[in-house]
Structures are given as C-alpha cells and as structure tokens.
C-alpha cells in the first residue's frame, strides 16, 4: 500500500489484515520502490500493489511506471486508488498496464 495520507494507510492496512493479507504500508513512492526491491531480493515479492494516484513528489502513476521498468515480467497486479479522478487518468492506467482503477 502506497498512500501519503495516514488515515487512508491505516484503513487499508486494517482492511487487508482482516482479509488475512500481510500488507506493507508506506507513505511515498520512493519508500515503496525500496520495499519492492527488498521483497524481490528476499524471494518474497509482493502479490499486489495498491497505489494512491495523487501523492506529492512521486504520484502513483510514476510509481507504477517505475515498477513496470523494474519488474517487466513478474510485476504484481497494480490497483490505482483515487478520491478525485482526473480526465485522462483511465487512459494513463491502460498505457501503464495498471490492472484496476
């Protein structure tokens, strides 16, 4: 889970834990990419990425693009979350290979 909003992170963490998942929750894209690399290196890659579309510095779309570059073949499914969709975001998701928006 990558979201700059602490409340959203907490809600998603609780929900995913309730569903018997083991979420890793971070506040920004840079940290997300570090965690992703570490998980792959440890042989325990993530099975799902939930990204906030609107974050400062590196938004969810940039994170998705970097993940696509890092893991072209074994990329986990990516879900883009947004509370205020912008015109053109759906097309951008298709372009980046994002699985759900």
């Amino acid at each position: 889970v990558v979201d700059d909003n602490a409340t959203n992170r907490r809600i998603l963490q609780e929900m995913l834990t309730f569903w018997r998942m083991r979420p890793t929750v971070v506040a920004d894209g840079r940290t997300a990419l570090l965690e992703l690399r570490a998980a792959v290196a440890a042989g325990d890659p993530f099975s799902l990425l939930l990204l906030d579309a609107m974050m400062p510095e590196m938004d969810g779309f940039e994170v998705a693009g970097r993940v696509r570059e890092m893991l072209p073949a074994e990329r986990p499914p990516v879900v883009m979350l947004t509370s205020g969709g912008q015109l053109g975001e759906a097309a951008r998701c298709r372009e980046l290979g994002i699985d759900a928006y």
Side-chain angles (χ1 to χ4, degrees):
V1 174
V2 187
D3 197 319
D4 62 312
N5 183 291
T7 301
N8 290 346
R9 286 194 310 270
R10 190 180 76 247
I11 290 168
L12 289 167
Q13 183 174 26
E14 289 176 8
M15 210 165 57
L16 296 171
T17 300
F18 180 78
W19 292 340
R20 300 178 195 263
M21 295 179 173
R22 297 178 296 127
T24 298
V25 181
V26 299
D28 60 71
R30 186 186 62 74
T31 306
L33 296 173
L34 292 172
E35 289 287 339
L36 181 62
R37 281 188 191 102
V40 169
D44 189 22
F46 296 126
S47 56
L48 174 67
L49 298 177
L50 300 178
L51 305 175
D52 178 18
M54 295 184 282
M55 294 184 291
E57 296 179 36
M58 185 185 305
D59 67 13
F61 296 100
E62 186 174 348
V63 174
R66 291 190 183 194
V67 169
R68 184 177 178 186
E69 292 169 3
M70 284 173 49
L71 306 170
E74 64 274 355
R75 181 186 61 81
V78 176
V79 176
M80 186 68 67
L81 305 173
T82 183
S83 58
Q86 303 289 322
L87 187 61
E89 283 184 347
R92 199 168 171 198
C93 286
R94 284 189 297 277
E95 184 180 296
L96 291 168
I98 293 170
D99 300 283
Y101 170 72

